[in-house]
Amino acid sequence: MCDCCGTFWSPNPTAHRPSTCCGGCTVTSPGGCRPGPAAPPPVSLAFLEAVLSHVGLSEVHKAIALFLDAPPAMGGPQHTQRSIYREILFLTLAALGREHTDIAAFDKKYRSAFSKLAGSLGKEELRRRRAQPPSSKAIDCRKSFGALLEC
């Protein structure tokens, strides 16, 4: 039995064992498991580089538009689980580092970009597609409780 699955096995030897015991391990024999097939990356490297390029050039509206318009076949996200704001902010923090990213300035740029896109797409459409900026309450919470957690 592998370390990653140890807690999923029942101490009762007659108990039914799951066919997938954790994310990525598949049961092959009573004594262990092997890694399952690798999941495809959620977006392409070219897509990520394009988003970072637009953010670096202060063209956040173009980065948002990439998330909204890029089909999965062209390397865009298959499904946005979190808001586009969070995706772009996380990508920026991961690429540039927290010490080189001014989150307050990013928030201002994102709000400006949202307003710019709202004129053409409409605020309701942007909200439906999870592109809205964080609320003032969320920003107040960030100020009160400190910076984002390290990944």
Side-chain angles (χ1 to χ4, degrees):
M1 155 177 18
C2 71
D3 293 332
C4 64
C5 302
T7 59
F8 290 99
W9 295 98
S10 170
N12 180 358
T14 60
H16 173 68
R17 287 186 265 189
S19 61
T20 302
C21 49
C22 62
C25 286
T26 306
V27 176
T28 58
S29 67
C33 66
R34 66 178 166 90
V43 294
S44 72
L45 183 59
F47 178 81
L48 295 176
E49 288 173 345
V51 169
L52 283 174
S53 172
H54 289 307
V55 170
L57 296 171
S58 295
E59 297 174 334
V60 179
H61 64 284
K62 290 183 181 179
I64 296 169
L66 276 175
F67 266 92
L68 294 173
D69 299 335
M74 299 300 291
Q78 296 173 355
H79 157 17
T80 305
Q81 187 174 12
R82 295 173 195 86
S83 71
I84 292 174
Y85 167 85
R86 282 186 65 169
E87 296 287 352
I88 294 174
L89 179 61
F90 177 77
L91 178 61
T92 304
L93 288 171
L96 302 176
R98 182 180 309 257
E99 60 278 351
H100 300 292
T101 304
D102 182 0
I103 296 176
F106 178 84
D107 286 346
K108 285 182 182 179
K109 289 177 189 176
Y110 194 91
R111 284 192 185 284
S112 173
F114 179 81
S115 297
K116 190 175 198 176
L117 288 172
S120 61
L121 295 174
K123 283 189 178 184
E124 288 306 313
E125 176 65 14
L126 289 173
R127 283 192 177 110
R128 187 183 68 75
R129 296 178 73 184
R130 305 187 77 184
Q132 74 275 9
S135 67
S136 58
K137 289 180 182 180
I139 292 172
D140 288 343
C141 283
R142 186 188 304 153
K143 288 177 184 174
S144 298
F145 296 111
L148 302 170
L149 296 175
E150 292 291 326
C151 299

